[in-house]
Amino acid sequence: MIDPGVVLVLSPHLDDAAISCGMLMSASAKAHVVTLLAGSPAGDYGIGEWDARCGFESSAAAMAARRAEDGAAMAILDVQAHYEDFLDSQYGALPSVRHVATAVAAAIAEWRPDTVLLPLGLHHCDHERIHAGALEAIRQYRGAMQWLAYEDLPYAARAGVVQSRLSALGAAGIAATRVAVMPLWRDATANQGAGEAKTRALAAYASQLTAVGIAADAFSEAGSERYWLLQPNDESLPAGKSRAAW
């Protein structure tokens, strides 16, 4: 069982961290969330298909409202929220893997977490890019910390996507081991309280839940959040570095 200590959660979009890690964050002693793709499109961008589906008149207004929703959700979970201004793929080009890795390394240097949580990178190209950038940071950063991948919800329910990612990690020289995480699974009381907090937090994303097609309590039961401990083998490290250097 893993004790995460101070956690840093890397979230592709506003709401991903809460959906996939809300119970863990609520139960943690201290948590930071960095949403990487939280930038607003240019004022003349107009309205994208997804934002129109969510009832907005412009995509700039959508991002402003979604940041407000995220702030409310993070306050419920007692999490410190931080935002990068990279655009998600519906608004323009995604940041490069290198730029994501640089942002991750800067967040680590500033908040010095005991555990970094990254998306497993399932199904969606935005999630895949943040996953790839975080893997680059694993290889580059020399901090003494744990790296946990969380299963991206709701995409993890799609047939074969988790298995495909685990296979890709193995091919890249990174072992992924399924783990239980303290204090979330320490006792039933911790589970119940974290689940209730997560449900309240997800309800704050009012503009998104109907369009996504999930209820606020969809992932608030014990076992709904799944985590994998990532451990690079010696061959996957840069030349001249041993496992002890991590």
Side-chain angles (χ1 to χ4, degrees):
M1 184 173 287
I2 297 293
D3 184 351
V6 176
V7 302
L8 169 63
V9 182
L10 307 177
S11 184
H13 305 114
L14 300 160
D15 71 18
D16 285 323
I19 292 174
S20 298
C21 306
M23 292 177 69
L24 174 59
M25 293 190 299
S26 175
S28 296
K30 186 173 184 181
H32 296 269
V33 174
V34 177
T35 303
L36 281 302
L37 306 179
S40 180
D44 59 355
Y45 177 82
I47 181 72
E49 179 181 354
W50 178 260
D51 293 331
R53 182 177 170 184
C54 293
F56 293 104
E57 295 183 357
S58 76
S59 289
M63 287 305 298
R66 293 195 65 197
R67 279 209 187 191
E69 290 176 344
D70 189 72
M74 295 298 105
I76 291 169
L77 297 172
D78 194 22
V79 170
Q80 297 186 40
H82 314 274
Y83 306 102
E84 294 288 340
D85 288 325
F86 299 126
L87 298 178
D88 73 29
S89 59
Q90 67 175 322
Y91 300 137
L94 286 169
S96 68
V97 171
R98 180 176 60 84
H99 283 127
V100 172
T102 298
V104 171
I108 290 171
E110 183 168 359
W111 299 304
R112 299 184 179 277
D114 300 303
T115 303
V116 179
L117 290 99
L118 61 142
L120 203 50
L122 306 179
H123 177 67
H124 195 298
C125 63
D126 293 7
H127 289 238
E128 292 170 350
R129 181 58 54 86
I130 303 309
H131 172 83
L135 289 189
E136 189 69 17
I138 290 177
R139 295 186 175 93
Q140 294 177 358
Y141 197 79
R142 300 296 178 263
M145 64 193 62
Q146 300 171 122
W147 292 79
L148 296 180
Y150 59 84
E151 293 189 7
D152 318 45
L153 297 173
Y155 300 132
R158 292 174 178 260
V161 294
V162 172
Q163 292 81 358
S164 178
R165 178 59 67 204
L166 296 177
S167 177
L169 285 167
I174 299 175
T177 305
R178 174 84 167 88
V179 292
V181 183
M182 291 179 62
L184 187 55
W185 283 273
R186 181 174 52 199
D187 55 48
T189 301
N191 263 310
Q192 181 177 355
E196 292 171 352
K198 180 176 181 177
T199 296
R200 295 196 307 273
L202 292 191
Y205 297 102
S207 72
Q208 304 298 302
L209 290 182
T210 300
V212 173
I214 62 173
D217 62 353
F219 304 109
S220 298
E221 298 295 328
S224 60
E225 298 179 7
R226 291 166 56 92
Y227 300 94
W228 299 83
L229 177 65
L230 301 187
Q231 296 172 298
N233 63 32
D234 291 343
E235 289 73 22
S236 73
L237 299 177
K241 295 293 182 180
S242 67
R243 187 182 303 278
W246 287 74

